[in-house]
Amino acid sequence: MAMPPGGILLLFLVLLAAAARRGGGGVWAFSSSSSSSSRIGEQPLSLIGIHRATVGIDAAASVQASPRLLGVKGEDTAWVTVDFAAPHASDGDWIGVFSPSNFNASTCPGPSGSDSGPVICSAPIKYQLANYSSDYGKTGKGTLKFQLINQRQDFSFALFTGGLSNPKLIAVSNKIAFANPKAPVYPRLAQGKSWNEMTVTWTSGYDIKEAYPFVEWGMKWSPPMRTAAGTVTFDRESLCGEPARTVGWRDPGFIHTAFLTDLWPNKEYYYKIGHVLPDGKIVWGKFYSFKAPPFPGQKSLQRVVIFGDMGKAERDGSNEYSNYQPGSLNTTDTLIKDLDNIDIVFHIGDITYANGYISQWDQFTQQVEPITARVPYMIASGNHERDWPNSGSFFNGTDSGGECGVLAETMYYTPTENRANYWYKTDYGMFRFCVADSEHDWREGTEQYAFIESCLATVDRKKQPWLVFIAHRVLGYSSGFFYGAGGAFAEPTARQSLQRLWQRHRVDLAFYGHVHNYERTCPVYDGRCASPETSRYSGAVGGTIHAVVGGGGSHLSNFTAEAPPWSVYREMDYGFVKLTAFNYTSLLYEYRRSSDGEVHDSFTVHREYRDVLACVADSCPPTIPTAT
């Protein structure tokens, strides 16, 4: 039975007093912005000084949320109406969504001590400013709409004054919850380690002790099969720092992965995820389908989408998302509309920009579910997934917010040999993709360099003519302002270490994110264009075409004032690249804007096998001189 709102407030105050007696403040030394509005490129939840929150429950303030029960027909999302009132309305008032609904000091970890700890030690999962309700400033009363997703726990809504920097809690709502908060949700497909294997990963609230996870799947008109899934999770101690281990922590539930093997190439398969309870009943997920990959070298129509740096956004306007990931929903929705014409997606780093706020990963998986449930969604490691000081990342930045790769490695499957080393190869028909991990050392003599060399060298170009290199940071060419100011137009030492490999193995295309714009180069080697063409390429592979596709959704990045001679097309907008391979000799490259899905840059490649073998600079095989 739900506790009445007054009971929740009384419980909150009792626990607050107990927490003050217990202490334990030494763990909670945070830094937080003093701003009360979102700044471009900054995780909105990091602006909330939740560790500085105080409690001043006001009998004249109130928050009510309805409906109390969500997802009664199995829905994974629901809209909630929140009515609220405050006796002294101000522009700094805001509504935070907390999950679990009990978010007071009793939930704070850490040892007891003499120092008082924080009143609230978990950030909300989202928030809206109270004055989003137009009459709030005049009447002190308002109504907001929030979209919630099934995230394994119940929810409550809290009204704060004092802005984001120094929040004061004055009212808490009733609890609301999904009918089955543990339900299996948000499946993510990915290619396995062999071409005829598809993996299905999803999230639930069921531990293996409570229920057995599996996938029921098969071709149409054939008896379905059931494949068991493995289950993993992680705890605070698995993470590297704050906020991931502190205010950003939220229990991730359980992540399950099943391997569907021996697939027939290009056949359509149907599947649904499920959990068998101890009494034999089954909790089912939704019904989906996917097309099995083509076998390596298969000549058929193959369509690939590549982008980076998308992040997530809120359809209800929460978190002032327009200043953070303004293009994210446009990219997502444009891909969904064209999904019948997409076979595989590569999201090449900076996946969610959760930056240590764990709840945001659930929200991202829900946002892209219409894509990931139908086509393989292959990710790469970016700085916002991996980087943390003294954690083994190549860069000692703090961009992951303490995640240090754990979330990306757990929430999404990739066919790596070692999940901590996020590099892998994957074949899709006529394509070979060599996906590097720019957050680990790639230079000559390293383990990753050996992988890149092997991946490029072992492809049979007669059957897989289209060879693609992928990394998050720009290891090739970019005239983004940051790289231009550094003078190298790329990550330091990047191109010098890898360009001879690209040239020796005739890499057709190289893609990067990290810089939030779009740029395409000519076929370039050692800073020089190998062809004067800009829209149609043919003949020998004299250089690699490099493309920055970091306009998936995050705030945009400026270019240098002047374009270098190798830069063919630049655009400061949101978009993605789509590759269409028609056969062994013809490839279409298109850059499409997220706003309308229209093509704004394109070229074609026509290349025979003898052109791949042709001798070009620094990639000529040794020959025996003609006898005289």
Side-chain angles (χ1 to χ4, degrees):
M1 182 175 69
M3 184 180 292
I8 293 177
L9 299 182
L10 179 60
L11 175 62
F12 194 98
L13 291 173
V14 170
L15 292 173
L16 171 61
R21 290 192 299 271
R22 132 178 104 76
V27 177
W28 302 96
F30 304 110
S31 60
S32 179
S33 168
S34 60
S35 169
S36 61
S37 62
S38 181
R39 291 196 292 264
I40 291 176
E42 191 163 6
Q43 164 59 258
L45 297 181
S46 71
L47 302 175
I48 300 174
I50 201 66
H51 58 290
R52 291 196 294 268
T54 59
V55 174
I57 299 300
D58 192 328
S62 64
V63 188
Q64 290 287 331
S66 62
R68 291 174 180 255
L69 188 63
L70 313 175
V72 293
K73 296 182 180 180
E75 304 96 328
D76 299 329
T77 64
W79 285 88
V80 175
T81 300
V82 178
D83 298 303
F84 53 95
H88 307 289
S90 69
D91 288 343
D93 298 352
W94 55 280
I95 298 286
V97 185
F98 287 84
S99 179
S101 61
N102 178 17
F103 57 92
N104 56 58
S106 68
T107 64
C108 297
S112 298
S114 58
D115 295 332
S116 177
V119 175
I120 304 171
C121 54
S122 60
I125 62 173
K126 61 165 70 176
Y127 69 89
Q128 290 190 36
L129 299 180
N131 62 16
Y132 284 2
S133 182
S134 57
D135 293 332
Y136 178 72
K138 298 177 181 179
T139 66
K141 296 180 180 180
T143 298
L144 293 174
K145 297 280 189 180
F146 287 87
Q147 185 185 54
L148 299 185
I149 69 168
N150 194 343
Q151 286 184 267
R152 302 171 303 283
Q153 301 282 353
D154 58 2
F155 304 84
S156 63
F157 298 79
L159 176 58
F160 289 87
T161 63
L164 300 179
S165 300
N166 294 286
K168 179 180 179 181
L169 176 67
I170 63 172
V172 182
S173 79
N174 52 288
K175 297 180 181 180
I176 64 174
F178 278 83
N180 181 12
K182 293 188 174 184
V185 289
Y186 320 133
R188 287 92 74 182
L189 298 176
Q191 293 206 145
K193 291 185 179 180
S194 61
W195 70 267
N196 60 350
E197 179 179 65
M198 188 73 75
T199 68
V200 186
T201 299
W202 71 96
T203 306
S204 85
Y206 291 114
D207 189 354
I208 192 69
K209 299 175 183 177
E210 300 176 90
Y212 294 102
F214 69 95
V215 176
E216 184 171 279
W217 62 287
M219 289 186 286
K220 197 173 184 179
W221 313 122
S222 299
M225 298 174 283
R226 288 188 179 179
T227 297
T231 298
V232 296
T233 189
F234 57 88
D235 54 24
R236 291 179 194 259
E237 287 68 35
S238 304
L239 306 173
C240 292
E242 62 179 62
R245 296 182 68 167
T246 53
V247 296
W249 169 256
R250 188 177 189 275
D251 191 301
F254 301 94
I255 295 88
H256 316 278
T257 299
F259 297 82
L260 315 185
T261 59
D262 298 323
L263 303 178
W264 289 32
N266 290 95
K267 288 290 186 179
E268 187 171 18
Y269 285 85
Y270 297 86
Y271 75 98
K272 55 182 176 178
I273 52 182
H275 292 258
V276 181
L277 302 176
D279 62 3
K281 293 181 180 179
I282 298 178
V283 179
W284 290 107
K286 297 177 183 178
F287 187 76
Y288 302 94
S289 66
F290 68 85
K291 187 179 73 170
F295 64 82
Q298 180 173 316
K299 187 166 67 172
S300 60
L301 185 66
Q302 295 156 17
R303 300 153 300 185
V304 181
V305 163
I306 305 174
F307 60 86
D309 306 77
M310 184 166 78
K312 58 163 284 291
E314 298 287 349
R315 296 189 185 275
D316 59 14
S318 293
N319 299 3
E320 302 177 79
Y321 75 89
S322 60
N323 287 334
Y324 189 47
Q325 319 291 354
S328 175
L329 291 177
N330 277 348
T331 300
T332 300
D333 293 344
T334 298
L335 294 179
I336 292 171
K337 289 177 184 177
D338 194 40
L339 203 56
D340 288 340
N341 301 306
I342 297 171
D343 297 312
I344 186 171
V345 171
F346 286 84
H347 186 163
I348 59 174
D350 287 5
I351 310 300
T352 69
Y353 290 93
N355 297 1
Y357 291 87
I358 309 304
S359 63
Q360 306 303 284
W361 281 87
D362 284 321
Q363 294 175 27
F364 177 82
T365 59
Q366 185 275 329
Q367 176 178 308
V368 297
E369 179 201 37
I371 304 169
T372 65
R374 284 190 53 196
V375 300
Y377 198 87
M378 314 301 294
I379 70 170
S381 178
N383 51 302
H384 284 274
E385 284 77 57
R386 183 63 186 85
D387 291 3
W388 192 257
N390 304 313
S391 70
S393 58
F394 189 47
F395 298 90
N396 270 332
T398 59
D399 291 340
S400 78
E403 293 178 16
C404 56
V406 173
L407 272 295
E409 295 162 15
T410 308
M411 297 293 288
Y412 283 84
Y413 175 84
T414 51
T416 58
E417 293 300 324
N418 180 339
R419 298 300 292 276
N421 296 335
Y422 225 68
W423 54 76
Y424 62 92
K425 71 175 179 65
T426 192
D427 295 315
Y428 194 89
M430 295 177 286
F431 288 95
R432 159 68 61 88
F433 297 96
C434 299
V435 182
D437 178 357
S438 65
E439 309 316 297
H440 282 84
D441 196 348
W442 59 81
R443 293 173 296 180
E444 192 166 0
T446 63
E447 183 181 358
Q448 181 167 199
Y449 184 93
F451 155 77
I452 295 170
E453 186 171 32
S454 174
C455 184
L456 299 177
T458 55
V459 61
D460 182 349
R461 298 298 289 277
K462 193 168 188 178
K463 296 179 179 178
Q464 292 179 282
W466 310 116
L467 182 56
V468 179
F469 177 83
I470 286 173
H472 174 65
R473 292 178 186 259
V474 179
L475 305 185
Y477 293 83
S478 165
S479 64
F481 179 80
F482 172 79
Y483 284 133
F489 291 106
E491 287 292 334
T493 76
R495 190 168 57 244
Q496 294 89 329
S497 298
L498 295 172
Q499 65 178 345
R500 288 189 182 274
L501 282 184
W502 297 327
Q503 186 76 348
R504 185 188 314 148
H505 298 292
R506 281 81 162 181
V507 173
D508 295 292
L509 297 160
F511 290 96
Y512 316 98
H514 198 57
V515 180
H516 302 170
N517 54 37
Y518 169 72
E519 183 171 25
R520 167 173 66 98
T521 75
C522 61
V524 59
Y525 174 59
D526 202 19
R528 297 181 180 86
C529 291
S531 169
E533 294 291 335
T534 60
S535 61
R536 186 180 186 277
Y537 300 102
S538 60
V541 188
T544 298
I545 296 172
H546 297 260
V548 173
V549 287
S554 191
H555 60 285
L556 294 171
S557 304
N558 288 314
F559 289 100
T560 54
E562 294 185 13
W566 38 258
S567 182
V568 172
Y569 189 98
R570 307 194 303 180
E571 181 168 283
M572 189 175 164
D573 206 337
Y574 299 104
F576 54 90
V577 162
K578 184 176 183 180
L579 305 176
T580 303
F582 299 99
N583 49 46
Y584 295 146
T585 59
S586 298
L587 179 75
L588 172 64
Y589 172 111
E590 298 171 307
Y591 162 71
R592 296 171 178 252
R593 286 184 188 158
S594 298
S595 58
D596 54 18
E598 296 297 319
V599 177
H600 290 267
D601 180 37
S602 67
F603 63 84
T604 60
V605 180
H606 181 84
R607 183 173 295 129
E608 304 287 346
Y609 180 53
R610 65 176 180 268
D611 297 324
V612 178
L613 300 178
C615 178
V616 295
D618 287 341
S619 64
C620 297
T623 58
I624 300 174
T626 304
T628 57

